[in-house]
Amino acid sequence: MAALAKVVARQRAEMDRLRDQAATSAVLERAKGAVMALTGCTPDAAVEDLLQRAEAGNRTLLEECWITLGSLPPLGAPAGLPGDDVPAAPLSAIPGPAGPRSVPAGTAVPAGRDSCAPDDGFTALGRLGKALAHVATPQDLAGCLLEELAADADADALLIFRSLPAGGLELIGHAGIDATLAAQWARVPPLSGVAAFEALRTREPRWLEDFAADRERHLLIGDPPERWLSRAWLPVPAGDEAEVCLGVLRARSGTFSPRDRQLLKAVVRLCAGWLRSFGTRPERSAAASAAAAQPVFDSLPGSAMLLTPLRGSSGEVEDYRIDAATEEAADVVGRTGGQLLGRRILECFPGMADEALWHGCLRTLATGEPFEGEPFACQEVVDGVAELATYAVHAARLGDALVVTWVRRDSSDRQEQRLADVQRLGNLGWANWNLVTGEGNWSSQTFVVMNRDPALGPVRLTDLPRLALAEDAPVLTHAVQELVRAGRPFDVPFRIRAGDEVRHLRMVAEVVTDTGNEPVEVHGCVQDLTAQRSAELALVESEQAIVTQHGVLHAERTLAARLQHALLPLPTRPVHLAGLRVEVAYLPAQSGIHVGGDWFSAIELPDGDALFVVGDVAGHGIDAVATMAQLRFTAKGMVITGSSLTGALARLNTLLLHSRDSHGTATMVLARYDPGERCLVWAQAGHPPPLLVRDGQARRLDRPLGILLGACSDPDFQEARCVLEPGDRVLLYTDGLVERPPEGIDHGLDRLAAALAAHPADEPGSLAPLLDSVLDGDRRDDVCVVDIRVPSSPR
C-alpha cells in the first residue's frame, strides 16, 4: 500500500507540473506578443527581456508575464514595461489621435469605456493584452479584436486565415460576417489574386484602399464585395515564416492612416504569441476538402477547378477527377459548372494531355511548387462580338489535389508578352542612348544578341564600333558620327565575335531632336542575322550543287534510257510465237528522273516452245538497267540450254547473291508454252500472278511457291501448269500496273481483272485502251506488260 501511495503521489506531482507548464507556456506566449507589439523586438529578444525583468524584480517568469499583460502603459506613458529603471525604445511609432474618435453607428461600446474619451494605440494595446488572457479559441480572438478595433481602426469585420501544409487557407476565426459567407470562405484554394496569399508569401501587409482597382486585381470577399470598400491583410509573424493572416474589412473607403497602420501591425505582433500557443487542427480527407471547397468555387469568378488525381496500378497519375468547379468553367463540348463534377479531366479537356502542361501539373502535385503554363490564344464572345483572348493555366496543390485555374491576361500583360515574343522570335533587341548624359538603355535581348554580360551594362554609343570586327568598325564609326552630327539615320550590317563564332548583325538607329532641332536621344534596334546569312550561303552552295547534280542525273538518265532501249527493243506490232499472238507494252514512270529495271522477254525456243519472261529489278538508274540486262540474257540462255524454269530461277538467285555488281533483289515470272499440248508451265519469284481471261471472266492463276531473287541463299521454287483453250488470254505484268499507294495490291489486282473483262477485243492494238483504263494520274513506277492471246480457231 505504501508503494502504491508513492506512485500515486509522484503521478499527481507530475500532473501538477505539466498543468503549470502548460499554463506558463500559454501566458508566456501572450506576454511575448505584448513585448513584441510594444517594442518591435524579435520573439527571442522578448523572452530574454521577460527573464531579465523577472530576475531583477525577484519574481518568477510566470509572475512577470501576468504583470506584463495586466500593466501595459497608460495614456502618454513611455514604452517601457513595469519594473524598468530606464524606459525602453519610445512608442512614438504609434501616434495618438489629435482628438477623440467617434465610434461608428451600431458599434457596441464596452462597459467602462467612454466613447468620447481620447484614445491612442497604447491604451488599445493595453485593453487587448488584458482581453487576450481570457480568449480560448480563434473565434473568440476574432470577436475580441473586432471589439477593440471597431472604434480604434474603424474595423467592421475581421477574419483570421491560417495556411494549410498542403496549400490553401482555412478560416479559423471571424467576426462581423454572417454564417453563410463564413461557410463559403471556410477553405480557400491557392488561387491567384487572393490578397491573403500575397501577404503570407511576401510577409508584408497588403493595403487595399482603392476598391475599383482592387476588384480588378484581387478576389474580394463579400456578397456583394461592395459591402467593404477598404481592406487590410496583415501576416502574423512566427519566426522565419508566417502561417496566419489577419484581415480587417472596413465599410468606408479611403486609405489607412499612418496611425491605423502602425496600430494594426502592433496588434498582429501582440497576437502572435497567442496564436502559436493554439494547437493545429487535423487535416481533412480529400472528400471533405472537395465538399468544403465547392462553396468557395461557387462564389469565385473566372474558370477554376479542383482536380483529384486518379492513379493506376503502378501508382502513376493516369487522369484527374473534377471534384469542384466554378460556374464559368466550361469544357470543349460546352458543359459548365456542376455538369463537370465527377468527370475525367482528359474527357473534358483533351488539351491537358499536352506534355508540358501534364508534366507541370505532376511536378506541382509532387513538390507543391505552383506551375504556370505558356500563354495560349482562345476566341470568345463578349457582348456579341468575337475577340481573341490570351489565357494561361495555373496549377497549385491543395492537399492531395490540384487547383487549376485559367487566368486571362490583361492587355498590358499581352502587350509586354508580345514585345518579348517579337524580340525573341525575331532575335532582335532595342537600345536607347541619351546624348545629354551619355547613358544607354538596352533590352535584355540586346545583351543576348551583342553577346554582352548584362552586369556590365550597355556600352556608350560612341564605343559601339569597338564591339565590331576590325574590318567592319570604320563603317559603323562613320555611321554613328553622321547620326550624332547631322541626325542622319543609318542601317548598317556588321560582325562581332561571340566566342568561337562570328555573328552577323544589323543595326538600325535614328535620332530624336528637341524643340531646337538638336539631337538629344538615339533610338535603335539590333538584329542577329547570322542564321539568315548562313542560310543564304548554304542556299548558294545548294543551288550550285543542285545544278551539278541535275546535270549528272540528266546524263545518267539519258545513258540509262539509251542502254535500256538497246537492251530491250520494243516490237511495233504483235508477234506470233508457237501459235500465239503476243503484244508487248512498256510505259516508263512519269514521276522521277531515273530509268527503272522492268523488263520482258518473249522468244520461240529451238524445240518450238515459247518462252515468256517478265521481271522487275529493285531500284532505278544505270545499276538497275545493268542488272536487268544480266538477268534477261542469263534467263534466256539457261532455258535455251535445257534448264528447267525452277532451276533457272535458283541459278539466277545465286547469281544475284554472289555478284558484287548486283543491284540487290528482283522479282520474275518465267512461263513456257507447249503448243502441242496447249499447256503453259510457269514459275515465279515474288512476282504478281498472271491473269487468265476465259469466257469473259478474268481470274488470277494460283501462284506456286517462290520468293524474290536475292533474298536468301536456299530458296524453294515450284512450277504450276495451266492448259489454255482457244480464245484464252494471259496477261503477264509488273507491279507498277496494279500498285497504287496507299491501297493494298489486292485492290489493284481486282481492278485489273475487272478492266480485262471489260475489254474483250481480240483485234491487234487492244492493249493500249486497257492500260489507259487501268492507269490514271502520275505513274511512280515503270509498267511492263506481255499480252498473250490464244487464237479462237487454228491458224
Side-chain angles (χ1 to χ4, degrees):
M1 292 294 292
L4 291 176
K6 290 181 181 180
V7 171
V8 172
R10 285 197 304 269
Q11 291 177 344
R12 286 180 177 175
E14 180 65 18
M15 291 177 62
D16 292 340
R17 186 187 67 81
L18 293 174
R19 188 181 298 109
D20 293 341
Q21 182 179 356
T24 302
S25 175
V27 176
L28 174 61
E29 290 296 334
R30 298 172 189 175
K32 282 168 54 180
V35 175
M36 292 167 59
L38 295 174
T39 64
C41 65
T42 64
D44 293 338
V47 174
E48 184 65 26
D49 186 73
L50 290 171
L51 289 173
Q52 291 177 0
R53 295 177 189 282
E55 183 179 357
N58 195 22
R59 295 184 290 268
T60 65
L61 179 60
L62 182 60
E63 292 173 343
E64 186 63 35
C65 291
W66 281 114
I67 292 173
T68 300
L69 292 174
S71 304
L72 291 175
L75 176 62
L81 293 175
D84 285 342
D85 295 331
V86 179
L91 294 180
S92 57
I94 309 178
R101 294 170 59 95
S102 61
V103 180
T107 303
V109 180
R113 185 193 307 178
D114 185 0
S115 63
C116 297
D119 195 5
D120 64 5
F122 304 147
T123 55
L125 291 176
R127 292 193 306 270
L128 183 59
K130 293 179 181 180
L132 286 179
H134 305 287
V135 169
T137 66
Q139 185 66 25
D140 295 341
L141 175 62
C144 178
L145 291 177
L146 181 60
E147 182 180 358
E148 298 298 333
L149 297 177
D152 296 293
D154 288 341
D156 295 289
L158 192 137
L159 298 92
I160 303 175
F161 281 105
R162 178 173 57 194
S163 61
L164 298 173
L169 295 176
E170 178 186 23
L171 182 64
I172 61 175
H174 62 86
I177 65 173
D178 55 42
T180 301
L181 189 60
Q184 292 176 349
W185 290 86
R187 283 285 182 107
V188 181
L191 302 172
S192 59
V194 178
F197 280 118
E198 298 176 2
L200 290 173
R201 184 177 64 254
T202 62
R203 301 191 63 192
E204 293 291 337
R206 284 291 181 268
W207 310 97
L208 308 185
E209 301 165 324
D210 184 350
F211 181 79
D214 294 335
R215 74 183 306 172
E216 295 293 331
R217 296 192 298 265
H218 297 89
L219 297 175
L220 300 181
I221 295 176
D223 187 15
E226 292 82 354
R227 180 179 175 184
W228 296 289
L229 299 179
S230 59
R231 306 150 191 261
W233 293 95
L234 301 97
V236 179
D240 296 333
E241 298 180 355
E243 299 179 353
V244 178
C245 189
L246 188 146
V248 178
L249 282 61
R250 303 191 309 182
R252 72 177 181 88
S253 61
T255 62
F256 288 83
S257 67
R259 175 196 177 281
D260 290 343
R261 293 193 178 198
Q262 294 297 335
L263 174 60
L264 293 178
K265 291 179 181 178
V267 168
V268 296
R269 290 199 299 269
L270 181 61
C271 297
W274 187 94
L275 288 168
R276 282 198 300 272
S277 67
F278 182 73
T280 59
R281 296 185 180 180
E283 287 296 316
R284 303 184 187 181
S285 65
S289 298
Q294 185 56 53
V296 177
F297 278 76
D298 290 338
S299 62
L300 292 178
S303 180
M305 293 183 299
L306 179 66
L307 306 182
T308 299
L310 303 177
R311 303 182 183 272
S313 58
S314 63
E316 295 184 356
V317 176
E318 297 179 346
D319 208 337
Y320 294 87
R321 185 181 65 248
I322 303 174
D323 284 339
T326 61
E327 189 61 30
E328 295 184 24
D331 67 358
V332 294
V333 297
R335 291 175 296 216
T336 61
Q339 298 175 339
L340 300 175
L341 301 184
R343 298 185 181 274
R344 305 296 179 92
I345 190 66
L346 294 181
E347 168 195 351
C348 301
F349 300 89
M352 287 288 290
D354 177 73
E355 184 175 0
L357 180 56
W358 183 265
H359 288 289
C361 291
L362 291 180
R363 185 167 56 253
T364 297
L365 197 61
T367 65
E369 179 182 352
F371 166 76
E372 180 175 356
E374 291 293 330
F376 62 93
C378 178
Q379 191 174 41
E380 59 183 17
V381 179
V382 179
D383 296 331
V385 179
E387 64 178 24
L388 197 63
T390 301
Y391 287 85
V393 176
H394 294 254
R397 189 175 69 183
L398 179 62
D400 294 330
L402 283 180
V403 176
V404 177
T405 58
W406 283 258
V407 179
R408 179 171 178 170
R409 296 290 187 90
D410 59 27
S411 57
S412 60
D413 290 339
R414 290 199 299 269
Q415 293 296 339
E416 184 176 349
Q417 183 64 41
R418 288 170 183 170
L419 179 59
D421 291 342
V422 167
Q423 293 187 80
R424 175 177 53 83
L425 296 175
N427 205 7
L428 56 84
W430 55 262
N432 295 331
W433 287 275
N434 189 315
L435 299 180
V436 178
T437 62
E439 296 178 349
N441 185 22
W442 288 5
S443 68
S444 59
Q445 190 66 24
T446 302
F447 287 97
V448 176
V449 171
M450 299 294 288
N451 191 39
R452 183 173 176 82
D453 186 357
L456 300 176
V459 299
R460 300 172 68 90
L461 180 61
T462 54
D463 294 335
L464 187 64
R466 297 181 183 178
L467 301 179
L469 296 183
E471 51 268 34
D472 295 342
V475 177
L476 187 58
T477 300
H478 177 73
V480 171
Q481 291 174 350
E482 289 296 314
L483 176 71
V484 176
R485 182 186 308 113
R488 185 174 301 156
F490 68 77
D491 184 346
V492 176
F494 63 97
R495 294 168 295 170
I496 65 171
R497 184 168 296 280
D500 296 334
E501 68 169 348
V502 173
R503 291 185 181 176
H504 295 261
L505 307 183
R506 173 198 178 198
M507 173 160 279
V508 180
E510 64 180 5
V511 297
V512 177
T513 60
D514 59 10
T515 56
N517 204 29
E518 291 294 329
V520 294
E521 194 170 352
V522 171
H523 295 171
C525 64
V526 60
Q527 184 177 16
D528 188 353
L529 301 178
T530 304
Q532 179 179 338
R533 292 289 185 265
S534 300
E536 290 174 354
L537 294 175
L539 181 60
V540 172
E541 295 177 358
S542 177
E543 289 177 349
Q544 294 176 349
I546 289 175
V547 171
T548 302
Q549 184 67 17
H550 183 76
V552 173
L553 294 177
H554 181 72
E556 179 181 344
R557 176 178 174 83
T558 301
L559 176 61
R562 291 179 178 176
L563 180 61
Q564 185 186 53
H565 182 71
L567 297 175
L568 193 66
L570 292 174
T572 58
R573 63 188 66 183
V575 296
H576 297 275
L577 299 175
L580 302 174
R581 194 190 74 197
V582 181
E583 287 189 62
V584 179
Y586 178 83
L587 302 176
Q590 293 178 339
S591 60
I593 60 175
H594 292 295
V595 176
D598 291 19
W599 56 278
F600 71 93
S601 183
I603 62 173
E604 188 168 315
L605 299 176
D607 58 0
D609 291 354
L611 175 66
F612 304 102
V613 187
V614 171
D616 186 1
V617 176
H620 299 81
I622 295 178
D623 292 337
V625 173
T627 304
M628 174 268 290
Q630 187 180 36
L631 293 177
R632 182 172 185 264
F633 292 114
T634 304
K636 290 196 299 183
M638 289 180 179
V639 176
I640 290 175
T641 55
S643 177
S644 65
L645 301 182
T646 56
L649 289 176
R651 291 182 178 87
L652 292 175
N653 180 75
T654 303
L655 176 66
L656 282 181
L657 287 176
H658 295 86
S659 176
R660 292 184 179 180
D661 297 332
S662 165
H663 203 67
T665 60
T667 65
M668 184 183 301
V669 169
L670 286 175
R672 182 166 185 160
Y673 176 72
D674 182 357
E677 299 181 0
R678 289 207 305 273
C679 180
L680 182 71
V681 181
W682 66 286
Q684 61 87 28
H687 204 84
L691 291 181
L692 172 65
V693 181
R694 177 176 293 172
D695 298 330
Q697 299 292 326
R699 65 178 181 89
R700 311 174 204 170
L701 296 181
D702 295 334
R703 283 179 26 166
L705 189 64
I707 64 173
L708 75 165
L709 303 176
C712 67
S713 58
D714 189 19
D716 185 11
F717 298 105
Q718 296 181 3
E719 294 180 349
R721 300 170 62 85
C722 178
V723 177
L724 301 181
E725 298 178 0
D728 282 354
R729 182 181 185 183
V730 178
L731 197 72
L732 307 180
Y733 52 90
T734 56
D735 56 7
L737 184 62
V738 294
E739 286 186 346
R740 185 182 297 175
E743 67 180 21
I745 193 171
D746 288 338
H747 289 81
L749 292 172
D750 293 340
R751 183 171 53 252
L752 178 59
L756 277 173
H759 292 77
D762 194 36
E763 65 275 4
S766 61
L767 185 58
L770 171 67
L771 298 182
D772 291 339
S773 65
V774 175
L775 300 173
D776 58 346
D778 291 341
R779 294 186 300 277
R780 299 183 180 183
D781 198 1
D782 296 352
V783 174
C784 185
V785 180
V786 175
D787 187 8
I788 304 171
R789 303 289 185 95
V790 180
S792 299
S793 57
R795 291 180 55 87

